[in-house]
């Protein structure tokens, strides 16, 4: 064999090993994340990637006022619409733009984007890195993921948050010691990723059948400005949403109290309206009367609807969205069989609890 050919083959082998090595690092990192999918919020984010490309009518974003209020399979059963729940517990509002971008990368023709605003009333200092990494760890590697991480780090720096992770700990979660499976843990990764998880099964919705009776709160009309850092993020988000072809709706779901932050919710929704967006405030009239929540049985604490309350909320919202935005009815379409299966299983679960409820 000629020397030149030998060198060429050697270079090819070296190049292949380098590519394989880099790929292995990312593969190991992603495989180790399977164990983070015991986190219900991460499962919901991961479940979004399992939806067929360009099959959704929309997404529902926000904190626990989203993933405990909107029941996607219930909306499908009612109206045939497919709006995936990308809400996560204590979801920081700084991720909103990037979650929308991420959703649009695989669902470019969806019609509506619904954003719950309650997370804008949280103290910005009450930052918990786990509430961010439960999203970022499961997102696909992309420039959008990097942008989201950079935005989050800048946000934490701006509010002097006590977050003890460096950038690479976010970019490559394996650096945080999450490759435990390498030292003998159960390797049932596919089962963890694709198992029959209720959180993925119900397209991001979180069940709860507890009951905590509430007294109907008074209607609050006054407004109060939110934290300036959060307002800056809201302004940037509103400007971004103006560039979208989708209809963006800002919502405040029904609640007993947000620790006295109702005036701040009013302020946020007013800003959204002034920016030209549709808003739905279920803590003001006439919407509160139209929704007709049962305060004695529809909540499991003062901030969250239980599953029967969420079903009541979803019934109203799904009808409103289907009619207002002329969303397509996918019932009977075989390509949406996972949605019908999800709706059937949810009804079975609710039936189990209906007698005791």
């Amino acid at each position: 064999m000629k020397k030149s050919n030998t060198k060429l083959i050697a270079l090819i082998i070296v190049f292949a090993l380098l590519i394989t090595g880099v790929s292995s690092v990312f593969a190991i990192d992603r495989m180790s994340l399977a164990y983070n999918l015991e986190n219900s919020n991460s499962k919901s984010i991961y479940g979004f990637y399992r939806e067929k490309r360009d099959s959704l009518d929309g997404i529902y974003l926000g904190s626990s006022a989203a993933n405990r209020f909107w029941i996607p399979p219930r909306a499908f059963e009612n109206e045939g619409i497919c709006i995936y729940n990308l809400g996560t517990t204590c979801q920081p509002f700084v991720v909103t733009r990037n979650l929308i971008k991420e959703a649009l990368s695989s669902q470019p023709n969806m019609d509506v984007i619904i954003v719950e605003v309650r997370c804008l009333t949280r103290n910005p200092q009450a930052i918990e890195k786990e509430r961010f990494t439960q999203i970022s760890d499961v997102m696909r590697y992309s420039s959008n993921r990097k942008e989201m991480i950079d935005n989050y780090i800048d946000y934490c720096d701006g509010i002097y948050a006590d977050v003890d992770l460096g950038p690479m700990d976010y970019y490559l979660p394996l650096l945080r010691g999450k490759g435990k499976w390498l030292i003998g843990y159960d390797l049932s990764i596919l089962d963890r990723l694709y198992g029959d998880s209720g959180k993925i099964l119900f397209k991001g919705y979180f069940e709860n059948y507890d009951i905590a009776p509430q007294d109907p709160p008074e209607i609050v009309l006054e407004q109060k400005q939110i934290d300036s850092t959060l307002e800056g993020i809201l302004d940037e988000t509103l400007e971004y949403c103006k560039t979208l072809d989708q209809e963006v709706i800002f919502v405040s779901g029904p609640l007993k109290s947000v620790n006295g932050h109702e005036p701040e919710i009013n302020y946020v929704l007013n800003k959204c309206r002034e920016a030209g967006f549709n808003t739905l405030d279920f803590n003001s009239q006439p919407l509160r009367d139209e929704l007709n929540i049962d305060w004695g049985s529809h909540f499991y604490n003062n901030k969250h609807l239980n599953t029967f309350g969420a079903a009541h909320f979803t019934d109203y919202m799904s009808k409103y969205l289907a009619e207002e935005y002329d969303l397509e009815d996918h019932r009977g379409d075989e390509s949406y069989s996972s949605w019908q299966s999800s709706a059937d299983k949810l009804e079975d679960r609710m039936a189990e609890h209906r007698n005791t409820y």
Side-chain angles (χ1 to χ4, degrees):
M1 183 181 294
K2 294 181 181 179
K3 182 179 286 188
S4 59
N5 289 341
T6 302
K7 286 184 178 180
L8 178 60
I9 292 172
L11 286 173
I12 291 173
I13 292 173
V14 170
F15 181 74
L17 288 172
L18 285 173
I19 294 297
T20 302
V22 171
S23 300
S24 296
V25 168
F26 283 91
I28 290 170
D29 194 57
R30 299 306 291 162
M31 290 171 75
S32 71
L33 296 184
Y35 287 87
N36 292 333
L37 293 183
E38 291 176 346
N39 179 302
S40 299
N41 294 285
S42 295
K43 283 186 176 185
S44 297
I45 297 295
Y46 187 87
F48 174 79
Y49 292 114
R50 297 177 64 190
E51 296 299 320
K52 296 175 182 176
R53 180 175 177 81
D54 213 10
S55 64
L56 299 182
D57 298 301
I59 54 172
Y60 204 120
L61 299 169
S63 60
S64 56
N67 64 11
R68 289 166 174 81
F69 283 53
W70 175 252
I71 310 179
R74 177 85 174 192
F76 178 84
E77 181 71 11
N78 290 343
E79 307 292 339
I81 61 177
C82 299
I83 298 177
Y84 193 93
N85 198 326
L86 276 176
T88 55
T89 305
C90 296
Q91 186 172 102
F93 197 80
V94 70
V95 307
T96 301
R97 279 174 294 159
N98 295 102
L99 280 179
I100 293 174
K101 290 180 182 179
E102 191 72 10
L104 287 171
S105 68
S106 63
Q107 307 292 333
N109 293 309
M110 62 181 176
D111 299 293
V112 296
I113 297 168
I114 304 148
V115 181
E116 165 64 51
V117 301
R118 191 184 301 182
C119 47
L120 281 163
T121 67
R122 298 186 78 227
N123 180 352
Q125 291 290 334
I127 197 79
E128 301 172 73
K129 62 179 181 292
E130 292 81 8
R131 302 304 189 186
F132 176 73
T133 56
Q134 66 191 7
I135 300 170
S136 62
D137 282 1
V138 189
M139 280 179 66
R140 290 172 175 167
Y141 288 101
S142 66
S143 59
N144 180 51
R145 178 178 180 271
K146 180 182 182 302
E147 179 183 274
M148 185 180 75
I149 291 171
D150 292 343
N151 289 341
Y152 178 76
I153 292 172
D154 290 345
Y155 167 65
C156 291
D157 287 343
I159 62 173
Y160 305 103
D162 184 20
V163 177
D164 58 358
L165 297 178
M168 290 308 297
D169 293 310
Y170 292 102
Y171 298 143
L172 293 174
L174 184 63
L175 298 178
R176 300 204 303 270
K178 292 185 176 178
K180 296 176 181 178
W181 62 276
L182 287 170
I183 54 174
Y185 274 55
D186 174 26
L187 288 180
S188 56
I189 288 171
L190 290 179
D191 179 61
R192 290 176 184 271
L193 292 179
Y194 297 104
D196 189 22
S197 160
K199 305 305 182 293
I200 296 179
L201 175 66
F202 299 138
K203 311 293 184 179
Y205 169 68
F206 286 23
E207 294 173 284
N208 190 301
Y209 294 96
D210 295 337
I211 300 174
Q214 307 294 319
D215 294 323
E218 295 182 4
I219 299 290
V220 177
L221 299 177
E222 60 263 31
Q223 297 183 28
K224 180 181 178 182
Q225 187 171 5
I226 60 174
D227 174 85
S228 59
T229 302
L230 290 174
E231 184 163 11
I233 294 171
L234 172 61
D235 290 340
E236 291 172 358
T237 302
L238 292 174
E239 288 303 310
Y240 168 70
C241 289
K242 289 178 183 178
T243 70
L244 302 177
D245 295 330
Q246 287 72 23
E247 294 285 345
V248 183
I249 307 123
F250 292 89
V251 175
S252 176
L255 71 158
K256 171 63 184 295
S257 172
V258 191
N259 301 323
H261 291 306
E262 292 87 342
E264 291 166 292
I265 290 177
N266 293 340
Y267 178 84
V268 168
L269 291 176
N270 186 60
K271 283 204 70 162
C272 296
R273 284 191 293 270
E274 290 180 344
F277 295 99
N278 187 14
T279 64
L280 297 172
D281 184 2
F282 289 96
N283 302 294
S284 68
Q285 294 173 329
L287 274 187
R288 193 170 90 168
D289 292 339
E290 291 179 15
L291 183 61
N292 194 28
I293 279 288
D294 184 341
W295 294 87
S297 63
H298 277 166
F299 288 79
Y300 73 82
N301 62 24
N302 68 339
K303 297 180 182 179
H304 301 106
L305 297 172
N306 59 34
T307 295
F308 289 101
H312 186 85
F313 174 79
T314 301
D315 291 349
Y316 182 96
M317 277 288 288
S318 59
K319 186 174 189 295
Y320 170 84
L321 293 167
E323 294 179 353
E324 186 72 15
Y325 299 101
D326 193 26
L327 301 181
E328 186 176 353
D329 186 343
H330 302 288
R331 289 172 293 188
D333 186 333
E334 188 59 32
S335 61
Y336 289 88
S337 59
S338 73
W339 285 76
Q340 186 60 61
S341 175
S342 181
D344 293 343
K345 290 179 180 178
L346 175 68
E347 179 53 37
D348 290 343
R349 278 288 245 276
M350 291 180 68
E352 292 174 9
H353 291 84
R354 196 167 276 124
N355 289 336
T356 55
Y357 176 79

